[in-house]
Amino acid sequence: MAEKDYGADQIKVLEGLSAVRKRPAMYIGGTGKRGLHHLVWEVLDNSIDEALAGFCTKISISVNTDGSVTVIDNGRGIPVGMHTKYKVPAIEIVMTKLHAGGKFDNSTYKVSGGLHGVGVSVVNALSEWVELEIKRDGKIHHQKYSRGDKATELKVIGDTDTTGTKVTFFPDAEIFDEIIFDSDTLIPRIKELAYLNKGLALDFEDKRSGIKKEYCFEGGIESLICDLNKTRTSLHEKPIYLESKDNNIEMEIAMQYTTGYTETLISFVNNINTIEGGTHVSGFKAALTKVTNTYIKKNKLLKDSVDITGQDMREGLTAVASLKIPQPQFEGQTKTKLGNADIKGIVESAMSLKLSEFYEENPTVAKTIVGKITSAATARIAAQKARELVRRKSALESTTLPGKLADCSEKDASKCELFIVEGDSAGGSAKQGRVRDTQAILPLRGKILNVEKAAITKMIQNEEIRALVTAIGTGISEQFTMEKARYHKIIIMTDADVDGAHISTLLLTFFFRYMLELIEGGHVYLAQPPLYKIQKGKAVHYVYSDEEKHAKLEEVGGQGVTIQRYKGLGEMDPKQLWDTTMAPESRTLKQITIEDVIEADQTFSTLMGDAVEPRRKFIEENAKNVVNLDV
Ligand code: 0RA
């Protein structure tokens, strides 16, 4: 491009500006606020093109006190030489003819994108006046225009040893609904352009309010990633930056994984935000998936059974892809979707090459990323299985009640209680001791599955759990429906020992994970079986703690007192179990509150970990540590 001589002769296609004034919306999208600001973008785009062509390093934009806008660049300056064919200075063709400009033909490409890329002549057509100052060929040239027409002759007003273009324009109130420029509209786009054109200095000043901004990002879109991830926790320190330039196509990609779950993928083509995506975005996604999968396989970072989707690949990813291509075809509702079919393959292969290089050179980062992706996949698969299983009604909503449930006869759930009893023998006593109309008994054999550790699939296959879910009737997780509950009191009744505490903890974990509403509604209780039976003659006392035992012994003490320590519920006969633990008028129940559970949630994680010692200790301490609550 640089070696091409952009003489005045290269400016060819000509058409007057009357069409623009007649139908402005066709050229700038409308005559409202957006259209008005589009004038600024159109002028700015010409300067940015100079920067992209490698001739301009700094652009200043100002809103002046009179409401006009000035854009100054240090590019080559609009050509001022005489056009051999039209016998007028080239700049007059640039300013007064639609589509005029060397940039319109194929010898170069207009990379930055005005809405229609029609050039500065449109701005001229829709401005009350335009004033130009061109530094070129050692001279400062000046000219004024009015509503698209030449108002003064091009003249030299001084000498200079630099080059550049200064365009000042005042929008035409006959065209626009309002002609007041808004800094809040201008500044974000100017900043975005600074990110998208690394190293290019963009200054802004609003002389009406005194607001000043200076943007220049040496890191370009890498800096944009850092900015976007400012409020997030990144998984690797520096964004990954991939760059390639081939056959007039420039590709820049910056990406960084975070601990979060959202995917932020922003793409640009020729500085235009392609909100609707397009072929370049498809290429990006394909490359990320392929290269990462290949890396995982090559380094055996995963069991083959887990298959990772593109979505898993992008969980927690913040990425910006910026493309500069010669002839973008924008499609879609808002013309922000790239349509060029060949770009998918071009981006995919360029990015694949660079990303695999990056993974090879940065194995630590690569492995961190793989770790993130793997856990995204695992979580997705688990959630999916859970949904499928819950949906398959037979899995958990079988209508036939479990055989070992001794149900109650009352149909009003608010009057019914379900005792979940540890062990078949205690279950037997409970079945005999209960009041049949309102109390149901479900014996659980041994320990139920540790739901914290077990995958949901396993959990649902677990017989004890299935019996429990069917008996309660509510369903689990998203399917949970309190109205379907068959009992409003769920009472966990276990031995007052380590195993009993463990079982009740496991049950609470289950309720917490899958039937939280049951706990929130105050429907879950722990039964409090006595620890000791103290007997003197015919008088029998049951005590529920060591403190109580001491107090009772002081009271009844002396000779002939026998103390029996209950090792399990099974040691009690049906009547004793009824009197001490089940009879509503004499029993003590501990209602499980959400606070208990929140605290327990952390404890559960500790508990279900692999360290046996702290777990045992915890269970022992807490087996005794029960706050009594009369219900
Ligand atoms: C046509 C041809 C050349 C440059 C420009 C237009 C140009 C336009 C604007 C608008 C704002 N700033 C600008 N800078 C340059 C090529 C000039 C050459 O070959 O030297």
Side-chain angles (χ1 to χ4, degrees), residues 359-469:
Y359 283 162
E360 291 308 324
E361 286 162 18
N362 302 272
T364 317
V365 178
K367 279 174 187 129
T368 305
I369 292 171
V370 170
K372 169 73 179 169
I373 291 168
T374 311
S375 62
T378 315
R380 174 183 51 77
I381 291 164
Q384 193 180 317
K385 277 188 180 153
R387 273 194 302 276
E388 278 165 12
L389 275 160
V390 171
R391 220 175 282 133
R392 236 186 289 140
K393 288 207 182 283
S394 60
L396 275 177
E397 284 178 39
S398 76
T399 40
T400 40
L401 290 167
K404 48 192 186 164
L405 172 75
D407 208 4
C408 53
S409 53
E410 173 63 56
K411 292 292 164 240
D412 179 354
S414 68
K415 294 181 184 147
C416 298
E417 308 178 340
L418 175 69
F419 282 85
I420 304 168
V421 186
E422 174 187 0
D424 284 337
S425 77
S429 296
K431 280 178 190 179
Q432 288 176 52
R434 66 172 176 150
V435 282
R436 282 167 184 275
D437 53 341
T438 57
Q439 294 184 322
I441 310 294
L442 180 69
L444 288 187
R445 193 176 305 121
K447 290 188 188 167
I448 61 156
L449 204 72
N450 182 343
V451 286
E452 188 75 18
K453 264 182 156 179
I456 187 152
T457 32
K458 255 191 170 174
M459 185 206 81
I460 284 167
Q461 281 156 15
N462 180 270
E463 232 185 277
E464 309 291 308
I465 296 279
R466 291 174 68 143
L468 181 64
V469 173

Side-chain angles (χ1 to χ4, degrees), residues 88-311:
V88 293
I91 191 167
E92 291 184 16
I93 295 167
V94 169
M95 293 306 290
T96 60
K97 305 292 177 192
L98 201 53
H99 290 173
K103 308 195 172 197
F104 196 68
D105 62 71
N106 236 343
S107 58
T108 177
Y109 57 93
K110 180 175 175 60
V111 281
S112 85
L115 187 58
H116 302 275
V118 280
V120 72
S121 62
V122 166
V123 178
N124 191 23
L126 303 176
S127 292
E128 188 184 304
W129 53 263
V130 173
E131 186 171 5
L132 299 169
E133 224 179 87
I134 313 298
K135 292 177 185 163
R136 205 180 149 106
D137 310 325
K139 305 281 181 215
I140 305 171
H141 308 263
H142 178 274
Q143 190 169 36
K144 277 199 85 163
Y145 288 83
S146 176
R147 298 202 160 101
D149 297 327
K150 182 169 77 175
T152 68
E153 293 302 326
L154 182 69
K155 64 169 181 265
V156 172
I157 56 164
D159 295 329
T160 182
D161 51 10
T162 61
T163 62
T165 302
K166 176 179 174 182
V167 179
T168 303
F169 65 94
F170 190 91
D172 192 346
E174 289 175 9
I175 302 283
F176 294 97
D177 308 337
E178 55 159 325
I179 54 165
I180 298 165
F181 288 101
D182 174 24
S183 285
D184 293 337
T185 303
L186 296 171
I187 292 169
R189 173 62 179 163
I190 290 168
K191 188 177 183 188
E192 185 173 82
L193 284 166
Y195 280 125
L196 290 168
N197 300 280
K198 66 175 169 183
L200 175 64
L202 282 160
D203 293 357
F204 173 78
E205 184 177 2
D206 186 338
K207 292 183 175 163
R208 300 165 307 181
S209 65
I211 295 173
K212 276 189 187 183
K213 301 280 176 191
E214 288 181 11
Y215 300 112
C216 182
F217 299 105
E218 291 301 336
I221 57 169
E222 198 181 329
S223 309
L224 176 53
I225 291 288
C226 294
D227 206 17
L228 290 167
N229 279 348
K230 221 168 36 200
T231 55
R232 303 167 182 169
T233 309
S234 48
L235 282 174
H236 45 102
E237 207 185 305
K238 242 171 81 75
I240 300 171
Y241 181 72
L242 313 169
E243 192 181 19
S244 95
K245 192 173 180 174
D246 214 8
N247 290 323
N248 263 342
I249 294 171
E250 267 181 70
M251 180 197 79
E252 262 186 291
I253 288 165
M255 50 191 263
Q256 189 176 37
Y257 281 88
T258 70
T259 56
Y261 304 99
T262 47
E263 169 189 335
T264 308
L265 173 50
I266 306 172
S267 64
F268 297 88
V269 174
N270 295 359
N271 291 331
I272 295 169
N273 189 184
T274 39
I275 300 160
E276 296 172 274
T279 50
H280 57 321
V281 173
S282 306
F284 169 92
K285 289 179 176 175
L288 178 66
T289 302
K290 278 189 193 164
V291 171
T292 311
N293 266 329
T294 306
Y295 186 82
I296 290 171
K297 286 211 183 83
K298 196 178 143 202
N299 294 283
K300 301 192 170 62
L301 298 173
L302 199 64
K303 294 169 284 166
D304 334 32
S305 56
V306 183
D307 80 312
I308 296 173
T309 67
Q311 236 177 322

Side-chain angles (χ1 to χ4, degrees), residues 26 37 59 102 119 169 233 281 294 413 422 439 480 535-536 563:
M26 283 243 325
H37 287 80
I59 303 170
F169 65 94
T233 309
V281 173
T294 306
E422 174 187 0
Q439 294 184 322
F480 182 94
Q535 194 163 9
K536 188 173 183 182
I563 303 168

